[in-house]
């Protein structure tokens, strides 16, 4: 029982970075399997704050091999800057390896991200503008450039010439300035040379690690309801942040995923547009935003805040085969006398037992709530279950019972130490 997926169980930003940091030093491999620098993971440790967008949080552990797997979208410039920045903060990092199958994000993807968002008008998605959607579009269109090609200069030049001609036609159509191949090549050949030493096969490394029963931690980015298939389409990202995505993105088979822990906040947040039935666009939402410093790590945008949506969380537990929950940011709810939790969706004719699949259905959803008692105390000093107020314990128990998934870990502050491990057996099995 050696593989563990840490998956975002809501709309992203569930504090997965902290959790991966806490568990990363127990793993030999930490693997990012989907998305790119649209993600933002914050790790606070030893008085330092690390902000990761591409590097797995495991990079801070020197005996861990960090892997950027084939399912990822990698911006070379952002990755190199992140490596340098992290090295300035901590001299000895763990080893890094990049899959030759991972796709490369280029400036024309970022340009298209902006042009396409403008063209959407009122239907914009609120993307992070990092070019991730246009890059995955190229992947599906079978014109993407993979890392394995990018680091071979002659091959890269040839592929770029083919692709850019095609992309520039689209850019011009959308009113943008065509991208010049000469300056792009000059800049990106330099990045390719710097990244080349990191690029080599990762599938076999991971498959062998699983056979040897070594611990592999798959670090999810974004969250379940941003999944291209299972999220609130079309307000989703373009990859698969779910547990299934860990198989697709790495080449590990489904039966080799032993444990999946779903990270969820004690409330709900979302950045960008799209359905959010429990959103509180009012004083409570504002209180949660300020107490939880709910501003995006990647874009700095204020996050939309609301009550915990247990209907969505239960669905997420099923999609991801969750073996346990990691409930984060319980401390943020302190001082709110009554906490609402959504226990049913009503779409006009009584509660429904499914999750809508179209925006017009989502618009009709009325969240039905149950009220639970809150707590006033600052709980960030708690280090074991018994240290928590009874009302916090009841809140956690209610989540477990409703979702049918036991809590493995509680997080009650941003620091590594501000963590309560309730059921260690759920982590590695
Ligand atoms: P994209 O991934 O930049 O294409 O953005 C698509 C949607 O996913 C937007 O609503 C983004 O705000 C959201 N999104 C992408 N990455 C993250 C993340 O790491 N956390 C939260 N939301 C994200």
């Amino acid at each position: 029982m050696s593989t563990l997926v840490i998956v975002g169980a809501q709309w992203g930003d569930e504090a997965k970075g902290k959790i991966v940091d806490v568990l990363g030093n127990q793993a030999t491999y930490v693997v990012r399997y989907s998305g790119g620098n649209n993600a933002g993971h914050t790790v606070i440790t030893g008085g330092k704050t690390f902000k990761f967008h591409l590097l797995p949080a495991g990079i801070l552990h020197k005996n861990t091999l960090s892997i950027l797997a084939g399912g990822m979208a990698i911006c070379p410039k952002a990755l190199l800057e992140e490596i340098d920045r992290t090295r300035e903060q901590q001299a000895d990092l763990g080893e890094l390896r990049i899959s030759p199958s991972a796709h490369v994000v280029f400036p024309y993807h970022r340009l298209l991200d902006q042009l396409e968002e403008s063209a959407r008008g009122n239907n914009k998605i609120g993307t992070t503008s990092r070019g991730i959607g246009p890059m995955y579009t190229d992947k599906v269109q079978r014109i993407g450039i993979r890392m394995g090609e990018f680091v071979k200069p002659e091959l890269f030049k040839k592929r770029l010439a083919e692709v850019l001609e095609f992309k520039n036609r689209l850019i011009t159509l959308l009113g943008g300035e065509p991208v010049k191949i000469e300056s792009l090549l000059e800049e990106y050949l330099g990045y390719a040379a710097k990244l080349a030493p990191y690029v080599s096969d990762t599938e076999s490394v991971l498959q062998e690690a699983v056979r040897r029963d070594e611990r592999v931690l798959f670090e999810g980015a974004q969250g379940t309801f941003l999944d291209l298939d299972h999220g609130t389409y079309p307000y989703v990202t373009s990859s698969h942040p779910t547990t299934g995505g860990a198989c697709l993105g790495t080449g590990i088979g489904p039966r080799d995923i032993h444990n999946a822990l779903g990270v969820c906040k004690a409330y709900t947040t979302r950045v960008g547009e799209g359905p959010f039935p429990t959103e509180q666009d009012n004083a409570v939402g504002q209180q949660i935003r300020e107490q939880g410093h709910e501003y995006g790590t990647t874009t700095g945008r204020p996050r939309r805040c609301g009550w915990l949506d247990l209907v969505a969380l239960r669905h997420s537990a099923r999609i991801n085969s969750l073996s346990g929950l990691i409930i984060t940011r319980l401390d943020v709810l302190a001082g709110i006398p009554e906490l609402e939790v959504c226990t049913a969706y009503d779409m006009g004719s009584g509660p429904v037992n499914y999750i809508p699949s179209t925006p017009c259905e989502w618009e009709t959803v009325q969240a039905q709530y149950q009220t639970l008692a809150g707590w006033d105390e600052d709980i960030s000093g708690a280090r074991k279950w018994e240290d928590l107020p009874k009302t916090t314990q009841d809140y956690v128990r209610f989540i477990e019972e409703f979702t049918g998934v036991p809590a493995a870990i509680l997080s009650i502050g941003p620091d590594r130490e501000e963590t309560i491990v309730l059921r260690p057996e759920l982590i590695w099995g």
Side-chain angles (χ1 to χ4, degrees), residues 8 20 61 106 108 112 155 179 197 295 326 403 418:
V20 176
H61 303 296
F106 292 103
Y108 53 83
L112 279 167
L155 192 52
V179 173
Y295 294 87
I326 300 178
T403 58
E418 292 167 324

Side-chain angles (χ1 to χ4, degrees), residues 2-18:
S2 59
T3 57
L4 167 66
V5 183
I6 298 293
V7 64
Q10 298 162 312
W11 275 273
D13 309 316
E14 299 93 348
K16 294 179 291 293
K18 168 187 159 164

Side-chain angles (χ1 to χ4, degrees), residues 43-199:
V43 175
I44 301 174
T45 179
K48 292 183 195 161
T49 301
F50 297 85
K51 288 197 191 292
F52 297 120
H53 298 282
L54 281 162
L55 289 175
I59 198 79
L60 297 177
H61 303 296
K62 74 168 191 297
N63 298 322
T64 302
L65 175 62
S66 286
I67 290 181
L68 302 180
M72 285 195 71
I74 300 177
C75 168
K77 183 171 192 268
L79 177 58
L80 286 163
E81 282 170 5
E82 195 168 311
I83 294 172
D84 287 348
R85 197 171 55 239
T86 311
R87 213 171 259 137
E88 271 168 29
Q89 288 185 277
Q90 178 177 306
D92 53 343
L93 300 177
E95 198 188 324
L96 175 69
R97 195 178 273 221
I98 304 170
S99 167
S101 303
H103 280 248
V104 183
V105 181
F106 292 103
Y108 53 83
H109 293 124
R110 282 192 293 281
L111 179 58
L112 279 167
D113 208 348
Q114 288 157 17
L115 293 170
E116 286 169 5
E117 273 288 77
S118 312
R120 284 186 191 110
N122 290 339
N123 296 324
K124 69 177 174 19
I125 294 167
T127 72
T128 58
S129 311
R130 298 297 187 269
I132 306 300
M135 192 230 75
Y136 280 113
T137 303
D138 282 6
K139 177 174 175 174
V140 174
Q141 217 172 351
R142 274 90 25 113
I143 57 167
I145 299 178
R146 286 175 152 192
M147 269 291 167
E149 296 170 317
F150 178 55
V151 297
K152 296 197 181 85
E154 290 315 311
L155 192 52
F156 171 45
K157 284 185 206 167
K158 180 173 168 290
R159 292 282 291 108
L160 188 69
E162 289 161 4
V163 175
L164 201 56
E165 197 193 326
F166 197 67
K167 294 277 104 180
N168 273 339
R169 265 186 255 155
L170 184 57
I171 289 169
T172 314
L173 201 67
L174 289 169
E177 276 292 308
V179 173
K180 294 197 173 62
I181 192 159
E182 299 76 18
S183 49
L184 196 154
L185 265 180
E186 196 185 326
E187 184 181 356
Y188 277 70
L189 280 169
Y191 299 147
K194 286 187 182 160
L195 287 179
Y198 298 106
V199 179

Side-chain angles (χ1 to χ4, degrees), residues 11-14 16 36-41 113 125-134 221-223 226 234-238 270-274 298-299 301 303:
W11 275 273
D13 309 316
E14 299 93 348
K16 294 179 291 293
N37 61 331
N38 47 350
H41 290 173
D113 208 348
I125 294 167
T127 72
T128 58
S129 311
R130 298 297 187 269
I132 306 300
Q222 288 92 35
L226 291 172
Y235 301 98
V236 291
T237 192
S238 332
R270 162 159 217 175
V271 274
E273 308 300 320
T298 300
T299 57
R301 290 180 286 181
R303 293 180 184 140

